[in-house]
Coordinates of all heavy atoms in Angstrom, one line a residue:
R5 N 0.8 -1.2 0.0 CA 0.0 0.0 0.0 C 0.9 1.3 0.0 O 0.6 2.2 -0.7 CB -1.0 0.0 1.2 CG -2.0 -1.1 1.0 CD -3.2 -0.9 1.7 NE -3.8 0.4 1.5 CZ -4.8 0.9 2.2 NH1 -5.3 0.1 3.2 NH2 -5.3 2.0 1.9
L6 N 1.9 1.2 0.8 CA 2.9 2.4 0.8 C 3.5 2.6 -0.6 O 3.6 3.7 -1.1 CB 3.9 2.2 1.9 CG 3.5 2.3 3.3 CD1 4.7 2.0 4.2 CD2 3.1 3.7 3.6
F7 N 3.9 1.5 -1.2 CA 4.6 1.6 -2.5 C 3.6 2.1 -3.5 O 4.0 2.9 -4.4 CB 5.1 0.2 -3.0 CG 6.4 -0.2 -2.3 CD1 6.9 -1.4 -2.6 CD2 7.0 0.6 -1.4 CE1 8.1 -1.8 -2.0 CE2 8.2 0.2 -0.8 CZ 8.8 -1.0 -1.1
D8 N 2.3 1.8 -3.4 CA 1.3 2.2 -4.3 C 1.0 3.7 -4.2 O 0.7 4.4 -5.1 CB 0.0 1.4 -4.2 CG 0.1 0.0 -4.7 OD1 1.0 -0.3 -5.5 OD2 -0.7 -0.8 -4.4
K9 N 1.0 4.2 -2.9 CA 0.5 5.5 -2.6 C 1.6 6.6 -2.4 O 1.3 7.8 -2.7 CB -0.4 5.5 -1.4 CG -1.7 4.8 -1.6 CD -2.6 4.9 -0.4 CE -4.0 4.4 -0.7 NZ -4.9 4.7 0.4
Y10 N 2.7 6.2 -1.8 CA 3.7 7.2 -1.4 C 5.0 7.0 -2.0 O 5.6 6.0 -2.0 CB 3.8 7.1 0.2 CG 2.5 7.4 0.9 CD1 1.8 6.3 1.4 CD2 2.0 8.7 1.1 CE1 0.5 6.5 2.0 CE2 0.8 8.9 1.7 CZ 0.1 7.8 2.2 OH -1.1 8.0 2.8
K11 N 5.5 8.1 -2.6 CA 6.8 8.1 -3.3 C 7.9 8.7 -2.4 O 9.1 8.4 -2.6 CB 6.7 8.9 -4.6 CG 5.6 8.4 -5.5 CD 5.9 7.0 -6.1 CE 4.8 6.6 -7.0 NZ 4.7 5.2 -7.1
I12 N 7.6 9.6 -1.5 CA 8.6 10.3 -0.7 C 9.0 9.4 0.5 O 8.2 8.9 1.2 CB 8.0 11.6 -0.2 CG1 7.7 12.5 -1.4 CG2 9.0 12.3 0.7 CD1 7.0 13.8 -1.1
I13 N 10.4 9.3 0.6 CA 10.9 8.5 1.7 C 11.6 9.5 2.7 O 11.8 10.6 2.4 CB 11.9 7.5 1.2 CG1 13.0 8.1 0.4 CG2 11.2 6.4 0.4 CD1 14.1 7.2 -0.1
G14 N 11.8 9.0 3.9 CA 12.5 9.7 4.9 C 11.9 9.5 6.3 O 10.8 8.9 6.4
S15 N 12.5 10.0 7.3 CA 12.0 9.7 8.7 C 10.7 10.3 9.0 O 9.9 9.9 9.8 CB 13.1 10.1 9.7 OG 13.3 11.5 9.6
D16 N 10.3 11.4 8.3 CA 9.1 12.1 8.5 C 8.0 11.6 7.6 O 6.9 12.1 7.6 CB 9.2 13.6 8.3 CG 10.1 14.2 9.4 OD1 10.1 13.6 10.5 OD2 10.7 15.2 9.1
S17 N 8.3 10.6 6.8 CA 7.3 10.1 5.8 C 6.5 8.9 6.4 O 6.8 8.5 7.5 CB 8.0 9.6 4.5 OG 8.8 8.4 4.8
K18 N 5.6 8.3 5.7 CA 4.9 7.1 6.1 C 5.8 6.0 6.3 O 5.6 5.1 7.1 CB 3.8 6.8 5.1 CG 2.7 7.8 4.9 CD 1.9 7.9 6.1 CE 0.8 8.9 5.8 NZ 0.0 9.2 7.0
Y19 N 6.9 5.9 5.5 CA 7.9 4.9 5.6 C 8.6 5.0 7.0 O 9.0 4.0 7.6 CB 9.0 4.9 4.5 CG 8.3 4.7 3.2 CD1 7.9 5.7 2.3 CD2 8.0 3.4 2.7 CE1 7.3 5.5 1.1 CE2 7.4 3.1 1.5 CZ 7.1 4.2 0.7 OH 6.4 3.9 -0.5
G20 N 8.9 6.3 7.4 CA 9.5 6.5 8.7 C 8.6 6.0 9.9 O 9.0 5.5 10.9
V21 N 7.2 6.2 9.7 CA 6.3 5.7 10.7 C 6.4 4.1 10.8 O 6.4 3.6 11.8 CB 4.8 6.1 10.3 CG1 3.8 5.4 11.2 CG2 4.7 7.6 10.4
L22 N 6.4 3.5 9.6 CA 6.6 2.0 9.6 C 7.9 1.6 10.3 O 7.9 0.7 11.1 CB 6.6 1.5 8.1 CG 6.8 0.0 8.0 CD1 5.8 -0.8 8.7 CD2 6.9 -0.3 6.5
L23 N 9.0 2.3 10.1 CA 10.2 2.0 10.7 C 10.2 2.2 12.2 O 10.7 1.4 13.0 CB 11.4 2.8 10.1 CG 11.8 2.4 8.7 CD1 12.7 3.4 8.1 CD2 12.4 1.0 8.6
K24 N 9.4 3.2 12.7 CA 9.3 3.4 14.1 C 8.5 2.3 14.8 O 8.8 1.9 15.9 CB 8.6 4.8 14.4 CG 9.5 5.9 14.1 CD 8.8 7.3 14.2 CE 9.6 8.4 13.7 NZ 8.9 9.6 13.6
I25 N 7.5 1.8 14.1 CA 6.7 0.7 14.6 C 7.6 -0.6 14.7 O 7.6 -1.3 15.7 CB 5.5 0.4 13.7 CG1 4.5 1.5 13.8 CG2 4.9 -1.0 14.1 CD1 3.4 1.5 12.7
I26 N 8.4 -0.8 13.7 CA 9.3 -2.0 13.7 C 10.3 -1.8 14.8 O 10.7 -2.7 15.6 CB 10.0 -2.2 12.4 CG1 8.9 -2.6 11.4 CG2 11.1 -3.2 12.4 CD1 9.4 -2.7 9.9
H27 N 10.8 -0.6 15.0 CA 11.8 -0.3 16.1 C 11.2 -0.6 17.5 O 11.8 -1.2 18.3 CB 12.2 1.2 16.1 CG 12.9 1.7 17.3 ND1 14.3 1.6 17.4 CD2 12.5 2.2 18.4 CE1 14.6 2.0 18.6 NE2 13.6 2.4 19.2
N28 N 9.9 -0.2 17.7 CA 9.2 -0.5 18.9 C 9.1 -2.0 19.2 O 9.2 -2.5 20.3 CB 7.9 0.2 19.0 CG 8.0 1.7 19.1 OD1 9.1 2.2 19.6 ND2 7.0 2.4 18.7
V29 N 8.8 -2.7 18.1 CA 8.7 -4.2 18.2 C 10.1 -4.8 18.6 O 10.1 -5.7 19.5 CB 8.2 -4.8 16.9 CG1 8.3 -6.3 16.9 CG2 6.7 -4.4 16.7
L30 N 11.1 -4.3 18.0 CA 12.5 -4.9 18.2 C 13.0 -4.5 19.6 O 13.8 -5.2 20.2 CB 13.5 -4.4 17.2 CG 13.3 -4.9 15.8 CD1 14.2 -4.2 14.8 CD2 13.5 -6.4 15.8
S31 N 12.4 -3.4 20.2 CA 12.9 -3.0 21.5 C 12.4 -3.9 22.7 O 12.8 -3.7 23.8 CB 12.5 -1.5 21.8 OG 11.1 -1.4 21.9
Q32 N 11.6 -4.9 22.4 CA 11.2 -5.8 23.4 C 12.2 -7.0 23.5 O 12.1 -7.9 22.8 CB 9.8 -6.3 23.1 CG 8.8 -5.1 23.0 CD 7.4 -5.6 22.5 OE1 7.1 -6.8 22.5 NE2 6.7 -4.7 21.9
Y33 N 13.1 -6.8 24.5 CA 14.2 -7.8 24.6 C 13.7 -9.2 24.7 O 14.3 -10.1 24.1 CB 15.1 -7.4 25.8 CG 16.2 -8.4 26.1 CD1 17.3 -8.5 25.2 CD2 16.1 -9.2 27.1 CE1 18.3 -9.4 25.4 CE2 17.1 -10.1 27.4 CZ 18.2 -10.2 26.5 OH 19.2 -11.1 26.8
M34 N 12.7 -9.5 25.5 CA 12.3 -10.8 25.8 C 11.9 -11.6 24.5 O 12.0 -12.8 24.5 CB 11.1 -10.9 26.8 CG 11.5 -10.3 28.1 SD 12.8 -11.2 29.0 CE 11.9 -12.6 29.5
I35 N 11.4 -10.9 23.5 CA 11.0 -11.6 22.3 C 11.8 -11.2 21.1 O 11.3 -11.3 19.9 CB 9.5 -11.5 22.1 CG1 9.0 -10.0 22.1 CG2 8.7 -12.2 23.1 CD1 7.6 -9.8 21.7
F36 N 13.0 -10.6 21.3 CA 13.7 -10.1 20.2 C 14.1 -11.1 19.2 O 13.9 -10.9 18.0 CB 15.1 -9.5 20.7 CG 15.9 -9.0 19.6 CD1 15.7 -7.8 19.0 CD2 17.0 -9.7 19.2 CE1 16.5 -7.3 18.0 CE2 17.8 -9.3 18.2 CZ 17.6 -8.1 17.6
T37 N 14.5 -12.3 19.6 CA 14.8 -13.3 18.6 C 13.7 -13.7 17.7 O 13.8 -14.0 16.5 CB 15.5 -14.6 19.3 OG1 14.6 -15.1 20.3 CG2 16.8 -14.3 19.9
N38 N 12.5 -13.8 18.3 CA 11.3 -14.1 17.5 C 11.0 -12.9 16.5 O 10.7 -13.2 15.3 CB 10.1 -14.3 18.3 CG 10.2 -15.6 19.1 OD1 10.9 -16.5 18.8 ND2 9.4 -15.6 20.3
N39 N 11.1 -11.7 17.0 CA 10.9 -10.6 16.1 C 12.0 -10.4 15.1 O 11.7 -9.9 14.0 CB 10.8 -9.3 17.0 CG 9.5 -9.3 17.8 OD1 8.5 -9.9 17.4 ND2 9.6 -8.6 18.9
L40 N 13.2 -10.8 15.4 CA 14.3 -10.8 14.5 C 14.0 -11.7 13.3 O 14.2 -11.2 12.1 CB 15.6 -11.3 15.2 CG 16.8 -11.5 14.2 CD1 17.3 -10.1 13.7 CD2 18.0 -12.1 15.0
K41 N 13.4 -12.8 13.5 CA 13.1 -13.7 12.4 C 12.0 -13.1 11.5 O 12.1 -13.2 10.3 CB 12.6 -15.0 12.9 CG 13.6 -15.9 13.6 CD 13.0 -17.1 14.1 CE 14.0 -17.9 15.0 NZ 15.1 -18.4 14.5
V42 N 11.1 -12.4 12.1 CA 10.0 -11.7 11.3 C 10.7 -10.6 10.5 O 10.4 -10.4 9.3 CB 8.9 -11.1 12.2 CG1 7.9 -10.3 11.4 CG2 8.2 -12.3 12.9
V43 N 11.5 -9.8 11.1 CA 12.2 -8.7 10.4 C 13.1 -9.2 9.2 O 13.1 -8.6 8.2 CB 12.9 -7.7 11.3 CG1 13.7 -6.7 10.6 CG2 11.9 -7.1 12.3
V44 N 13.8 -10.3 9.5 CA 14.6 -10.9 8.5 C 13.8 -11.4 7.3 O 14.1 -11.2 6.1 CB 15.5 -12.0 9.0 CG1 16.2 -12.8 7.9 CG2 16.6 -11.4 10.0
N45 N 12.6 -12.0 7.6 CA 11.7 -12.4 6.5 C 11.2 -11.2 5.7 O 11.1 -11.3 4.5 CB 10.5 -13.2 7.1 CG 10.9 -14.6 7.5 OD1 11.9 -15.2 6.9 ND2 10.2 -15.2 8.4
Y46 N 11.0 -10.1 6.4 CA 10.6 -8.9 5.8 C 11.7 -8.3 4.9 O 11.4 -7.9 3.8 CB 10.1 -7.9 6.8 CG 9.6 -6.6 6.3 CD1 8.6 -6.5 5.4 CD2 10.1 -5.4 6.7 CE1 8.1 -5.4 4.9 CE2 9.7 -4.2 6.2 CZ 8.6 -4.2 5.3 OH 8.2 -3.0 4.8
L47 N 12.9 -8.4 5.4 CA 14.1 -8.0 4.6 C 14.2 -8.9 3.3 O 14.5 -8.4 2.2 CB 15.4 -8.1 5.4 CG 15.7 -7.0 6.4 CD1 16.9 -7.4 7.2 CD2 15.9 -5.7 5.7
N48 N 13.9 -10.1 3.5 CA 13.9 -11.0 2.3 C 12.8 -10.6 1.3 O 13.1 -10.6 0.1 CB 13.6 -12.5 2.8 CG 13.9 -13.5 1.7 OD1 14.7 -13.3 0.8 ND2 13.1 -14.6 1.7
Y49 N 11.7 -10.3 1.8 CA 10.6 -9.7 0.9 C 11.1 -8.5 0.2 O 10.9 -8.3 -1.0 CB 9.3 -9.5 1.8 CG 8.3 -8.6 1.1 CD1 7.5 -9.1 0.1 CD2 8.2 -7.3 1.4 CE1 6.5 -8.3 -0.5 CE2 7.3 -6.5 0.8 CZ 6.4 -7.0 -0.1 OH 5.5 -6.2 -0.8
L50 N 11.6 -7.5 1.0 CA 12.1 -6.3 0.4 C 13.2 -6.4 -0.6 O 13.4 -5.7 -1.6 CB 12.5 -5.3 1.5 CG 11.5 -4.7 2.4 CD1 12.1 -4.0 3.6 CD2 10.5 -3.8 1.6
Y51 N 14.1 -7.4 -0.3 CA 15.2 -7.7 -1.2 C 14.8 -7.9 -2.7 O 15.5 -7.5 -3.6 CB 16.0 -8.9 -0.7 CG 17.3 -9.2 -1.4 CD1 18.4 -8.3 -1.2 CD2 17.4 -10.2 -2.2 CE1 19.6 -8.5 -1.8 CE2 18.6 -10.5 -2.9 CZ 19.7 -9.6 -2.7 OH 20.9 -9.9 -3.3

C-alpha cells in the first residue's frame, strides 16, 4: 500500500512511521529473537 500511494521517503514520511513501529517491536528484549526472524523475513521480501 505504501509503494502504491507514497513516493517520498524519509524519517518524516509514512515509511518513517513504519520503521518506528518496527523499532518499537524490536525494543522488546524478551521476544527479540522471534521478532528478528520476522524482520529478516521482511528483509527477504524487500530484497
Side-chain angles (χ1 to χ4, degrees):
R5 293 205 49 196
L6 287 174
F7 284 178
D8 287 343
K9 291 185 175 190
Y10 301 99
K11 305 292 183 206
I12 298 174
I13 56 176
S15 60
D16 293 332
S17 70
K18 298 291 183 185
Y19 297 97
V21 172
L22 175 61
L23 290 169
K24 287 175 189 169
I25 292 168
I26 293 171
H27 169 88
N28 290 337
V29 168
L30 291 173
S31 67
Q32 300 172 21
Y33 174 72
M34 297 298 285
I35 55 173
F36 177 78
T37 53
N38 293 335
N39 291 334
L40 174 65
K41 292 178 192 292
V42 172
V43 174
V44 167
N45 284 334
Y46 183 54
L47 283 170
N48 190 30
Y49 164 79
L50 289 172
Y51 186 72

